[in-house]
Amino acid sequence: MILKILAIGLVLFLVYIILFKKDREKSVKKDVKEKNEEIMVECPTCSTFISKKEAILSNGRYFCSKECLLNK
Ligand SMILES: [Zn+2]
């Protein structure tokens, strides 16, 4: 009887651990994604601030548009 209760408790514990781990991985991935979108970079050509997600990366610098990239 005690063994049965312990077995059920162990299964519930494992399920809890698995669910908790999945939630944590999800939130970590979400955080990384949000951080990338939130970071604002200055266009070296026209000094406009744009999010990294929309910026064009060239030689380690972020440009707001192809025009600025060509006119650097
Ligand atoms: Zn620009």
Side-chain angles (χ1 to χ4, degrees), residues 28-70:
V28 166
K29 275 179 190 169
K30 204 184 159 201
D31 278 357
V32 169
K33 201 186 164 202
E34 277 178 1
K35 269 180 194 164
N36 274 337
E37 286 173 7
E38 274 172 21
I39 291 169
M40 299 298 280
V41 284
E42 188 179 3
C43 173
T45 308
C46 67
S47 299
T48 301
F49 280 92
I50 25 120
S51 69
K52 263 191 177 178
K53 192 189 156 199
E54 294 167 57
I56 300 161
L57 180 62
S58 175
N59 296 323
R61 298 166 100 185
Y62 291 94
F63 295 88
C64 70
S65 63
K66 277 184 184 174
E67 284 75 29
C68 284
L69 175 61
L70 296 170

